[in-house]
Amino acid sequence: MTHSKKIEIHFSRLKLIKLLCFAFLFLACGIWMLRFQPDTQSVFLDNPYFKNGIAILALLMGSFGSYYALKKLFTPKPALVIDALGIIDHSSAVAIGRIHWSDITEIREHKTPAGALSKHRFIVVLLQDPAAYLSRQAHGLKRKTMEANLRQCGSPVTLSVTGLDTTFELLESELQQGLATYRDTEAETIEAIGTPLPKDLQEKVAAANKAHEYAMEIQKMLDAEFVIAELQVAATADHTLSITGVVTNQGTKDAIGEYLMLHTDTPKVYNGLTLEEEEA
């Protein structure tokens, strides 16, 4: 049994437009407070440090919110992809990208208070090796946020439907189904070959399979973006890439290397592409 469906979940344009409106409101309030310095007849609220601090905070929140909303409104990339390999997460500022089913131990709901009478629900993706995913996040602030998630929820990876064009129940159902399908397939494979492999060998096979899957994913990405003859992509367990093939000029070769460093989580690219004139 295989998980044949590839499910793409995009950002909700309506939710993003609402976020953009609130962000502009924060910007307007911050500018108004700095410009007109309103008098509230309160010693505490009229303190210039407090008042200007609130105004600057409103400007920062409005700026970040408007940047995020505008960026996502004009980004065709789906926020979440669920496929046979696992999950591709681009749904938040601390999204980690590809998460393989083989790395996931459990998917569960988590609730945090969102108000006096309500709670915010999100999905926690529990991992076999959280440290490996933390190490993929080089950005300091994002890494700190993921570490906080790990302490609070037991995993650095959490998913929220806020801003997504789906419901919590539907997203959780699709994720649970994908994980269950992967495990059924794994069980069928073990049954077909008889006795399960030793654990250390299982880990090596799993690492090799994930590296191969990652290489195939990158190859499809490059095929969609560039014209490369005889393209071959190989990857190691830490996502180091090696690419070979033939391109028309040095500029294209350099652009491909830069593209991979910018759009993937690879720590290093061995660019073995050759030029057409060299082949001739």
Side-chain angles (χ1 to χ4, degrees):
M1 178 166 46
T2 59
H3 190 270
S4 58
K5 290 192 301 180
K6 179 179 180 180
I7 300 169
E8 294 186 349
I9 300 172
H10 292 264
F11 290 99
S12 167
R13 296 186 67 83
L14 179 59
K15 292 178 181 178
L16 288 174
I17 290 171
K18 287 181 179 179
L19 173 61
L20 189 60
C21 291
F22 279 112
F24 285 159
L25 181 61
F26 270 87
L27 284 172
C29 288
I31 294 171
W32 176 75
M33 290 179 68
L34 287 176
R35 174 68 178 82
F36 295 102
Q37 295 291 313
D39 187 1
T40 63
Q41 303 299 319
S42 168
V43 175
F44 177 71
L45 294 179
D46 284 337
N47 182 297
Y49 293 105
F50 177 80
K51 187 186 299 183
N52 291 335
I54 293 296
I56 292 171
L57 180 61
L59 287 173
L60 290 174
M61 293 177 64
S63 298
F64 176 78
S66 57
Y67 168 77
Y68 180 83
L70 287 170
K71 180 181 178 182
K72 297 304 180 184
L73 274 171
F74 296 101
T75 299
K77 181 190 299 184
L80 275 173
V81 177
I82 305 170
D83 59 18
L85 304 182
I87 308 163
I88 304 175
D89 178 24
H90 296 296
S91 63
S92 70
V94 294
I96 198 63
R98 168 65 75 181
I99 307 166
H100 289 87
W101 293 125
S102 56
D103 291 339
I104 299 174
T105 60
E106 185 183 352
I107 293 171
R108 69 186 184 197
E109 177 184 351
H110 189 86
K111 296 180 180 179
T112 57
L117 301 175
S118 63
K119 291 187 176 181
H120 178 62
R121 303 163 69 196
F122 55 92
I123 295 168
V124 177
V125 180
L126 296 176
L127 304 169
Q128 292 189 29
D129 187 4
Y133 280 81
L134 283 172
S135 66
R136 285 165 52 180
Q137 185 57 268
H139 192 283
L141 182 59
K142 293 181 179 180
R143 185 185 176 98
K144 291 292 185 184
T145 303
M146 292 177 67
E147 289 173 347
N149 287 340
L150 179 60
R151 290 192 298 270
Q152 182 180 5
C153 311
S155 173
V157 180
T158 60
L159 304 174
S160 172
V161 298
T162 303
L164 301 185
D165 190 16
T166 188
T167 64
F168 182 92
E169 290 75 16
L170 182 58
L171 176 58
E172 184 182 29
S173 174
E174 294 290 359
L175 291 171
Q176 295 287 9
Q177 181 183 346
L179 182 59
T181 301
Y182 166 78
R183 287 177 174 170
D184 287 345
T185 304
E186 187 179 40
E188 289 173 3
T189 302
I190 292 175
E191 183 179 353
I193 65 174
T195 305
L197 296 172
K199 185 172 179 58
D200 60 338
L201 188 54
Q202 287 184 35
E203 292 174 352
K204 290 179 181 179
V205 171
N209 286 339
K210 284 192 287 186
H212 175 71
E213 291 166 357
Y214 182 72
M216 294 302 97
E217 185 180 326
I218 298 301
Q219 185 159 332
K220 289 180 182 178
M221 182 188 302
L222 291 177
D223 280 333
E225 295 291 334
F226 300 94
V227 178
I228 310 171
E230 302 174 17
L231 174 62
Q232 294 291 328
V233 179
T236 61
D238 69 346
H239 289 185
T240 296
L241 293 172
S242 175
I243 57 173
T244 60
V246 182
V247 293
T248 55
N249 55 65
Q250 184 65 40
T252 302
K253 178 179 178 178
D254 295 340
I256 291 169
E258 293 172 1
Y259 176 86
L260 289 172
M261 294 302 297
L262 182 63
H263 291 89
T264 71
D265 60 357
T266 181
K268 190 170 185 179
V269 176
Y270 291 97
N271 193 336
L273 295 171
T274 57
L275 308 183
E276 285 184 350
E277 54 265 29
E278 294 176 358
E279 290 290 306

